[in-house]
Amino acid sequence: MTARDLDEPPALPAERPAADGDGGGTRVPARAARSLVLAAVFTCAACGLVYELALVALGSYLVGNSVTQASIVLSVMVFAMGAGSLLAKPLQGRPVVAFAVVEGALALVGGLSVLALYAAFAWLDLYVPALVVVAFAVGALIGAEIPLLMTLLQRIRRQDAGSAVADLFAADYVGALVGGLAFPFLLLPTFGHIKGALLVGMVNAVAGIAVVLWLFRHRVGRVPRAALWGAMAAVLAVLGGTYALADRFEVSARQALYADPIAVAERTPYQEIVITRKAALTGPSDVRLFLNGDLQFSSVDEYRYHESLVHPVLAGTRGRVLILGGGDGLALREVLRYPDVRAVTLVELDPEMIRLARTYGPIASLNRHALDDPRAEIVNADAFSWLRRLGERFDAVIVDMPDPDDVPTAKLYSVEFYGLVKRALAPGGRIVVQSGSPYFAPRSFWSIRKSVAAAGLETTPYHVDVPSFGDWGFVLAAPGTAAPALSLAPGVPDLRFLDADVLRAAAVFPKDRRARDVDVNTLVHPRLVEYEGEEWKDS
């Protein structure tokens, strides 16, 4: 077959057949054929964007730092799309076969991409190299689609290049819009990362291969056509079989990330919640909560953390208390031990965390059902946005947020955020902020202290030993001209860990972990993401 044999003179609109069977099969008018090809473009574009978003979201869940993950995926994929477009130029002589092969490969690689990366993270510790390879492969295959689709459209009915490009890109961009909206609002919450990608891969295979092979079946010999149909069936079989085994794979991969048996694992719109439970031969079992892979507490020693977080700030006035974060209810438990606390408002973003803290027996028992106390009001909201609308004032504010290892969390450690917290204080009120480890992440710790001070608050940093975490730090702060005293209230409840001597020692930092020359963390310059990534990687 020569290039001249493949060319056709311009067809009459809606009259020229786009495809017919070997024995005089159904004739498809050119307009209908073009519409079907553009529908395939639309579907393939939607699938391509879903692959892209799935890679970005998976990296954010597994390793944090969503900006870095998005930058790696987007830059590699855009570069690869250009390379794929160039590599597709020699394939334009046989566009039907080439496009079917490209779509089959894209469906397979894209559909299996999330599963492969999860495996690389869980068992091989090769996540970033694997991400670059997968993003390049997906991007190159997406890039090869456009020149081949352009050739196919011109084979149906020739038109000037500008009009053809406009039609093709219109379908492509609208498909990308639908895929971009379907991923967070439908696929991720309904099917999850792994199954969602596999399902999209199957749709990609059918839309990309079946439509084109049927429309252009007269241009492909019997043997190649049968081979392509068989290849599509094989792709669907692989993706479908993997879909059936996806739950079992996810359980095995997730368990590989945790030392203790997993008791609860849920992926919410906001985070991945994992609770592990290790039975002990004597004494209670060790229950641990992880959010996006980061340990939040161990039931064996959480009292050390929560006593140190709560009781120093409540040495002042405490009639009305605000807790930002702390959806496990453990900080709330400590606050409610004071009978003169009249009301506590707890602001937690994830309703599922609140549900588990109320209903999952080991955690509900650990927090002593604090979330059901009549003095407690639970608000499901983003703390930053909630504070901006706040018209109330509180005597004490406890900021118990996850570590700031990505931009969305880092905003909750920013100067702007602490300014909002300061505005929520009643006269004489005080604030405490969980501030990470001054031993493992000293620049992060002192950046948090400096950011609190930059909001116009006087600060007193302190740290204690929590065996599950290591050396862990906090910042006590208050408006005024003098740093708040680190002490306990005269009527403090009976504590297991904290007393006046421990607090005096907590204010002393060793020479190699004292204040550093660091930048403040702001919304515009989220320095904490950089500090956290470097320090915890090296620890």
Side-chain angles (χ1 to χ4, degrees):
M1 180 179 289
T2 66
R4 178 168 181 162
D5 294 327
L6 293 172
D7 288 337
E8 294 181 4
L12 295 175
E15 295 295 335
R16 176 76 176 183
D20 53 14
D22 291 330
T26 305
R27 299 164 64 87
V28 181
R31 181 172 297 174
R34 285 176 62 81
S35 297
L36 287 173
V37 172
L38 291 173
V41 173
F42 168 90
T43 305
C44 293
C47 295
L49 195 65
V50 168
Y51 300 144
E52 186 176 321
L53 294 174
L55 297 183
V56 172
L58 181 68
S60 300
Y61 275 131
L62 295 181
V63 299
N65 200 347
S66 55
V67 172
T68 300
Q69 299 303 311
S71 298
I72 291 174
V73 172
L74 294 178
S75 58
V76 170
M77 286 189 71
V78 170
F79 168 75
M81 287 168 66
S85 295
L86 289 175
L87 293 173
K89 288 175 69 176
L91 305 177
Q92 290 175 292
R94 302 199 65 179
V96 177
V97 173
F99 184 75
V101 170
V102 166
E103 289 307 303
L106 179 57
L108 200 60
V109 173
L112 295 173
S113 60
V114 172
L115 182 144
L117 288 173
Y118 204 166
F121 180 80
W123 287 295
L124 303 177
D125 196 23
L126 291 173
Y127 180 79
V128 173
L131 175 64
V132 172
V133 171
V134 170
F136 185 88
V138 172
L141 291 168
I142 291 174
E145 290 176 328
I146 297 299
L148 295 175
L149 283 166
M150 181 69 73
T151 304
L152 291 175
L153 281 174
Q154 294 290 61
R155 295 289 165 83
I156 296 171
R157 186 184 68 207
R158 290 194 178 280
Q159 61 183 139
D160 65 89
S163 297
V165 168
D167 291 343
L168 189 66
F169 280 10
D172 186 81
Y173 293 154
V174 174
L177 171 66
V178 172
L181 294 176
F183 176 73
F185 295 113
L186 175 62
L187 292 170
L188 191 59
T190 305
F191 300 101
H193 263 108
I194 294 177
K195 283 188 170 181
L198 290 167
L199 186 64
V200 169
M202 288 185 270
V203 172
N204 197 165
V206 172
I209 301 176
V211 172
V212 173
L213 277 184
W214 178 73
L215 279 174
F216 295 94
R217 60 191 181 276
H218 66 298
R219 293 184 177 276
V220 183
R222 290 181 182 276
V223 173
R225 185 165 67 243
L228 290 172
W229 282 114
M232 187 191 79
V235 169
L236 291 174
V238 170
L239 295 175
T242 307
Y243 186 96
L245 299 173
D247 289 336
R248 192 179 307 173
F249 166 85
E250 189 168 2
V251 169
S252 299
R254 185 185 289 117
Q255 185 60 73
L257 301 174
Y258 299 95
D260 299 332
I262 293 175
V264 175
E266 296 191 14
R267 192 180 296 277
T268 77
Y270 307 102
Q271 60 197 343
E272 183 180 62
I273 302 173
V274 172
I275 300 172
T276 64
R277 190 174 185 184
K278 180 182 180 181
L281 295 177
T282 59
S285 59
D286 183 3
V287 177
R288 298 186 174 218
L289 171 67
F290 297 83
L291 300 180
N292 292 339
D294 294 332
L295 177 65
Q296 304 302 304
F297 72 77
S298 164
S299 61
V300 172
D301 56 20
E302 58 78 19
Y303 65 91
R304 286 184 166 221
Y305 171 91
H306 289 101
E307 287 182 5
S308 303
L309 172 72
V310 170
H311 294 286
V313 76
L314 296 187
T317 54
R318 53 178 178 264
R320 302 187 73 245
V321 179
L322 172 64
I323 302 175
L324 302 173
D328 51 38
L330 299 176
L332 178 62
R333 174 199 68 198
E334 295 298 317
V335 172
L336 292 173
R337 296 179 68 185
Y338 290 86
D340 55 344
V341 169
R342 300 189 306 276
V344 187
T345 300
L346 187 150
V347 181
E348 163 64 40
L349 177 63
D350 195 345
E352 188 60 21
M353 186 66 251
I354 295 296
R355 187 190 69 80
L356 284 171
R358 274 189 166 128
T359 61
Y360 181 63
I363 294 184
S365 175
L366 201 61
N367 65 38
R368 300 175 193 167
H369 302 278
L371 295 163
D372 297 321
D373 190 287
R375 291 178 289 170
E377 177 189 5
I378 311 302
V379 177
N380 289 124
D382 172 74
F384 197 102
S385 301
W386 185 83
L387 283 171
R388 294 184 67 185
R389 301 188 300 268
L390 183 65
E392 305 173 68
R393 297 293 179 267
F394 296 88
D395 299 308
V397 179
I398 298 167
V399 183
D400 188 18
M401 296 293 184
D403 289 345
D405 55 6
D406 59 19
V407 172
T409 312
K411 78 174 184 178
L412 303 174
Y413 289 80
S414 64
V415 175
E416 294 88 345
F417 179 75
Y418 296 132
L420 294 174
V421 174
K422 178 185 176 184
R423 195 174 68 183
L425 280 179
R430 309 207 303 178
I431 300 166
V432 68
V433 179
Q434 93 79 13
S435 306
S437 173
Y439 180 81
F440 293 110
R443 286 193 296 165
S444 300
F445 176 84
W446 293 109
S447 176
I448 293 171
R449 190 215 67 83
K450 193 171 183 179
S451 300
V452 174
L457 296 159
E458 296 297 321
T459 63
T460 301
Y462 62 104
H463 64 123
V464 298
D465 179 56
V466 181
S468 297
F469 292 164
D471 186 35
W472 211 257
F474 310 86
V475 174
L476 183 67
T481 57
L486 197 58
S487 61
L488 296 174
V492 65
D494 183 37
L495 305 179
R496 297 171 63 186
F497 168 68
L498 204 61
D499 62 17
D501 292 334
V502 172
L503 269 183
R504 276 193 295 271
V508 179
F509 288 81
K511 289 176 65 176
D512 63 347
R513 289 298 181 265
R514 288 177 186 166
R516 309 282 172 105
D517 182 16
V518 290
D519 294 326
V520 299
N521 186 66
T522 67
L523 293 179
V524 178
H525 297 290
R527 301 297 189 195
L528 274 176
V529 177
E530 173 190 341
Y531 293 154
E532 287 269 322
E534 292 174 355
E535 292 179 316
W536 285 107
K537 179 179 64 177
D538 297 336
S539 64

